[in-house]
Amino acid sequence: MLTQALLVDDSRSVLNFLKRHIEAEGLVEATAFLDPVEALACARDRVFDLVLVDYEMPHMDGISFIRTFRTLPGCADIPIAMITSRQTDDIKMEALQAGATDFLPKQPQSVEMTVRLRNLIQLGAAVRKLNDRAAHLASEVAAATRKLGEREEEIILRLALAVEYRDNDTGEHTLRVARYSRVIAEQLGLPPRLCRDIYLAAPLHDVGKVAIPDHILLKPGRLTDEEMTVIRTHATIGEKILADSNCELIQLGAQIAAGHHERWDGAGYPNGLKADEIPVAARVVAVADVFDALTTRRPYKEPMPLEVARDYLVENQGRQFDPACVEAFLSRWEEVVEIAAGQPATPSQRSEAVLSPFIQGAIQGETGSRPNQDHTPEAAAAV
């Protein structure tokens, strides 16, 4: 690749000489400008490896040009030589402070100019190679980081799916809760990265159920008070399983596992937190989890119609649920209905990166088939 040089001088004869001289060995392609303002406009759109600029020009002198050029994206390290016959110490110091790399004498046949110019060409080519190498390494680091992130996400989601299979024979609940949670987080105006992290960590909300005995977790009838006490330990157990991780997603999962059964009024479990004491991710998942629990078949209940479940959320906002989360959820009701029907509701959900392929590939549209018995919304929401 030829070294790209930018030449700026208000003398056409000087420009022609510089262009012939710098392109003589076939290693450089030069672009020449009489007007420094036009040269700067070009530099905003093109990448140059070397700049030669005259000191004395109308409208803008060489030092001002250098100072402005250095502010352009990607131009901080490009070699710049200022051409001048007035090489006083003051001018040199000001030019160096503005960002000049070297100086070239004005005499066209100067041996010094030839040598300095050759050195600048080599320096420009070396800087280009270093920048290209740095860009390549940055790309490789980004790709490796992305792969590590995808592996973390896959591990998290497969763990969540394993727990879900114990609970109701399907990963559909995991996928729906993740999608509902993302809708709420987005509508709340949370940062895009946090919305995605909530979407990925939400499936871990019930990971503590791995420690609940089957005769309680899979019981088709109403739970006794003692059994309810046992099943409620899944929130604390889930937090312990996920605690102290160096992975930010798992840290968020620990918050969700511990807090998704807390209540806005402080009457929830395990810690009796209330209002903003409950982490926002847990408040988001609480709405998503309860809504899906109410509207899907469980071992102990038939599914509730979507509109009835919606009314339950409205009736319990400000008591069980964060009112802002309920409002956010209901304000995108059409998407909620699509998610409940198993359809990706939004463009972002249609291109979900990791969660859908891993879970949907496993569930293949399965549904729970254990015996069931109708119970109150409160019973469904409590576990």
Side-chain angles (χ1 to χ4, degrees), residues 46-315:
R46 286 185 55 186
V47 176
F48 290 99
D49 305 310
L50 172 65
V51 178
L52 306 182
V53 58
D54 189 22
Y55 169 56
E56 295 180 293
M57 298 180 292
H59 309 303
M60 177 183 291
D61 65 23
I63 293 175
S64 298
F65 176 93
I66 293 170
R67 189 177 289 115
T68 304
F69 183 87
R70 286 299 188 204
T71 66
L72 300 180
C75 295
D77 301 321
I78 295 173
I80 303 177
M82 194 172 75
I83 304 170
T84 178
S85 59
R86 298 172 53 189
Q87 296 191 28
T88 66
D89 290 343
D90 290 344
I91 291 177
K92 284 186 175 181
M93 182 58 66
E94 188 177 2
L96 290 171
Q97 290 175 342
T101 307
D102 201 354
F103 303 91
L104 294 177
K106 198 75 170 181
Q107 297 84 354
Q109 302 301 327
S110 169
V111 174
E112 181 182 359
M113 174 182 242
T114 302
V115 174
R116 286 179 178 271
L117 194 55
R118 183 181 297 116
N119 291 341
L120 285 167
I121 292 171
Q122 293 174 350
L123 178 60
V127 170
R128 164 66 73 90
K129 289 181 180 178
L130 286 174
N131 288 339
D132 288 347
R133 178 61 176 167
H136 176 69
L137 290 175
S139 176
E140 288 187 335
V141 169
T145 302
R146 185 170 56 254
K147 288 182 179 179
L148 286 174
E150 290 172 355
R151 289 174 183 173
E152 286 182 345
E153 292 164 4
E154 180 181 358
I155 291 170
I156 289 170
L157 297 165
R158 290 194 181 277
L159 172 61
L161 183 58
V163 175
E164 193 63 27
Y165 265 96
R166 276 204 69 217
D167 191 8
N168 68 346
D169 285 341
T170 175
E172 290 181 337
H173 170 69
T174 297
L175 181 57
R176 285 191 301 269
V177 169
R179 286 176 168 169
Y180 290 144
S181 297
R182 187 173 194 172
V183 165
I184 297 169
E186 289 175 347
Q187 191 63 23
L188 287 174
L190 300 180
R193 173 62 185 271
L194 180 56
C195 292
R196 175 172 171 77
D197 286 353
I198 289 175
Y199 166 74
L200 291 167
L204 293 174
H205 65 283
D206 277 340
V207 69
K209 286 184 176 179
V210 296
I212 305 302
D214 284 352
H215 72 275
I216 296 177
L217 185 65
L218 307 180
K219 184 177 180 179
R222 185 187 298 272
L223 298 177
T224 66
D225 291 345
E226 292 78 11
E227 290 169 336
M228 185 63 75
T229 298
V230 172
I231 206 165
R232 285 182 172 179
T233 63
H234 81 275
T236 302
I237 293 171
E239 181 184 24
K240 290 180 179 179
I241 290 173
L242 303 174
D244 303 322
S245 173
N246 292 324
C247 172
E248 292 183 0
L249 275 177
I250 294 181
Q251 293 171 11
L252 187 64
Q255 290 183 11
I256 292 171
H260 73 288
H261 283 297
E262 300 288 359
R263 291 173 53 108
W264 186 255
D265 60 9
Y269 68 89
N271 298 312
L273 302 179
K274 63 181 181 180
D276 291 337
E277 294 174 352
I278 308 168
V280 65
R283 303 199 304 266
V284 166
V285 174
V287 174
D289 182 38
V290 169
F291 182 82
D292 193 69
L294 295 176
T295 56
T296 55
R297 179 175 286 108
R298 292 294 180 93
Y300 48 83
K301 59 173 279 297
E302 288 291 337
M304 179 184 291
L306 298 184
E307 292 73 16
V308 178
R310 178 182 61 190
D311 293 342
Y312 177 81
L313 296 182
V314 172
E315 292 168 5

